[in-house]
Amino acid sequence: MNWEPLLDALFDADHHVTCTGELLSGTAQVKGRTVAVVGTTHHAAIGVELALAQAGAVLAVVREHPERPIVLLVDTQGQRLRHRDELLGINRYMAHLGCCIELARRHKHSVIGLVYDQALSGGFITSGLIADACYALPEAEIRVMRLPAMARVTKIDEARLAELSKTNPVFAPGVENFVAMGGIRALWRGDLQAQLLGALADESTQDERALDGAARGGRKLAATVAERVVTA
């Protein structure tokens, strides 16, 4: 879905969200309740400038609007693969963005992520996936790595990975598989504003992704291993 009709579906008519290059930022109302909006569009490649701009937008909300909910709208092809960005330390910029979102959470800002188009790799991990809860539209595309790239990294034959992906969501791209693993809490269908209101009403900051993954059969051991580490 394009970002403009998405805003119309999520928010009241009088929203003030602007698109500057690939950055979405501003404020909007949901049944009269004001929220901050930060996100990306046009399948954004997250380079140092865009990561810093998103971080700055989040910090501005923390500084100027205490406890205002933040909605992260995700459409990214991942980190920008350029020599310049690597030399400048793109990993540190993206980590800074993640830290800013965590700072907002610690200052009692509810943080909700929504993948409305595409979410790949590190651009997803340090935005929507780090939110209190991340949701997605059914038509969204989510993956960390394509199978050919995964085969090169893991040294496992691509045909073997393709076979594994039929039964194990860890190896398979697709929004339904991320739901099964617990990374996506739920898919939003129908009335998107009602879905957003429901997410805003859930004020829990408990990280339930591992528990969701276990209950849904997508990550059977993560919750158990995490519990053993905590109690050991």
Side-chain angles (χ1 to χ4, degrees), residues 30-51:
V30 188
K31 297 297 183 184
R33 182 178 183 181
T34 301
V35 300
V37 179
V38 180
T40 52
T41 188
H42 307 317
H43 297 350
I46 311 296
V48 294
E49 297 87 358
L50 188 51

Side-chain angles (χ1 to χ4, degrees), residues 3 23 45 93 111 125 128 138 163 173 218:
W3 67 273
L23 174 70
Y93 283 83
V111 185
I125 293 171
E163 188 65 27

Side-chain angles (χ1 to χ4, degrees), residues 184-200:
I184 297 297
R185 180 165 292 182
L187 300 182
W188 284 1
R189 295 183 173 91
D191 187 339
L192 296 187
Q193 188 170 103
Q195 303 273 11
L196 177 56
L197 283 169
L200 290 171

